[in-house]
Amino acid sequence: TNVFNGSNIAVQVTQQQLEERGYSLTPEQMQSLAQAYSSLVSANTQANQLVTLESPGGEQQDPGAGVQNILGFIMGGMMVFYAYFTGAYASNTILTEEENGTLERLFGTATPATVILIGKLLAAAAMILVQLTVLIAFGRLAFGIQWGSLGLLVLFILVNTLGAASYGMFAISLAKDRRMAGVIMGAGNTVTGMLGMAGIFMLSSPTPNTAIDTLTLLVPQGWANRMLISIMEGLSLER
């Protein structure tokens, strides 16, 4: 049935195109065209190669590679999302210790308050560093994701480790207690994280919205995703 319907459509389209140019098909030519279409379908059904994907340069592309690239972009975006969420969550221990009274006792010791806060920052950074490294390695081994230049990837991990940890300290500094911190970590991180991923969602769009793409740069997650996308698309240290 599909072959019959397809041959009819092929004949109709051909006839319409020729009529627009002042030509027409004879009944014998229509029958020959229908038979040629049926033969083509029969010859290619087993190989499943009626339609092939080719790049503008004429090189055949593997459809699985496109799916793999999309998976890599989405996984990268979620990786950035959770890195900044981890930064805020780890920094929330400052408010917990303040409410429990341990932070005041820490500040009462000979250790400078700056050193204590730097220690909190480094603890959050260590968690984020391990998280990013493990997820990138897992994506490469489990899904075969090509992350791009190793040197730039290491730079991405280091920059975003410090960025996410600093973001967490800043976000928690806006909260007066853990209840307010919960709102910041929940609503605040969700909104900024999803806004930062908007550029990834538009990668498959034939007409991306430049305004939304610009808005993503209002949040640190947007810059992180922009950097990762550039690396995955072939940015190298030589360029």
Side-chain angles (χ1 to χ4, degrees):
T1 303
N2 290 335
V3 175
F4 178 76
N5 291 335
S7 61
N8 284 337
I9 293 173
V11 171
Q12 291 173 9
V13 171
T14 304
Q15 179 72 0
Q16 181 181 357
Q17 295 291 326
L18 289 175
E19 286 178 351
E20 291 177 357
R21 293 166 174 77
Y23 302 98
S24 62
L25 290 173
T26 64
E28 292 78 10
Q29 290 173 330
M30 292 182 184
Q31 184 176 0
S32 298
L33 179 60
Q35 291 176 348
Y37 177 87
S38 301
S39 300
L40 178 63
V41 172
S42 301
N44 288 278
T45 298
Q46 272 192 332
N48 195 24
Q49 291 180 346
L50 259 179
V51 178
T52 58
L53 298 179
E54 293 188 359
S55 64
E59 296 179 358
Q60 189 171 344
Q61 293 181 336
D62 180 9
V67 175
Q68 190 180 67
N69 288 338
I70 294 174
L71 175 64
F73 289 134
I74 294 176
M75 183 175 179
M78 295 304 298
M79 180 174 63
V80 170
F81 180 94
Y82 285 113
Y84 280 79
F85 189 91
T86 300
Y89 179 82
S91 300
N92 191 38
T93 58
I94 296 176
L95 293 177
T96 303
E97 292 184 2
E98 182 181 28
E99 292 183 4
N100 294 337
T102 56
L103 186 63
E104 184 178 357
R105 290 195 292 271
L106 278 174
F107 285 157
T109 63
T111 305
T114 304
V115 174
I116 295 174
L117 294 177
I118 290 176
K120 296 289 186 182
L121 178 67
L122 292 178
M127 291 178 60
I128 298 167
L129 178 64
V130 172
Q131 178 179 314
L132 290 175
T133 304
V134 170
L135 287 176
I136 287 176
F138 178 79
R140 181 68 181 90
L141 296 175
F143 302 110
I145 297 174
Q146 301 295 329
W147 295 109
S149 169
L150 179 60
L152 286 178
L153 194 62
V154 171
L155 181 62
F156 165 82
I157 293 174
L158 295 178
V159 168
N160 283 282
T161 293
L162 294 177
S166 302
Y167 168 85
M169 294 287 284
F170 170 75
I172 294 302
S173 70
L174 302 176
K176 296 182 179 179
D177 52 37
R178 282 192 293 176
R179 182 177 299 177
M180 186 181 294
V183 174
I184 292 175
M185 287 192 299
N189 280 332
T190 300
V191 171
T192 57
M194 295 307 293
L195 179 59
M197 287 186 65
I200 293 176
F201 298 144
M202 293 192 303
L203 285 175
S204 59
S205 173
T207 56
N209 191 311
T210 55
I212 295 178
D213 195 42
T214 302
L215 284 176
T216 62
L217 301 182
L218 294 178
V219 294
Q221 294 95 323
W223 288 97
N225 285 318
R226 179 73 64 87
M227 181 180 182
L228 183 58
I229 290 172
S230 298
I231 296 173
M232 293 180 67
E233 288 182 339
L235 183 67
S236 63
L237 293 173
E238 290 76 19
R239 293 175 58 185

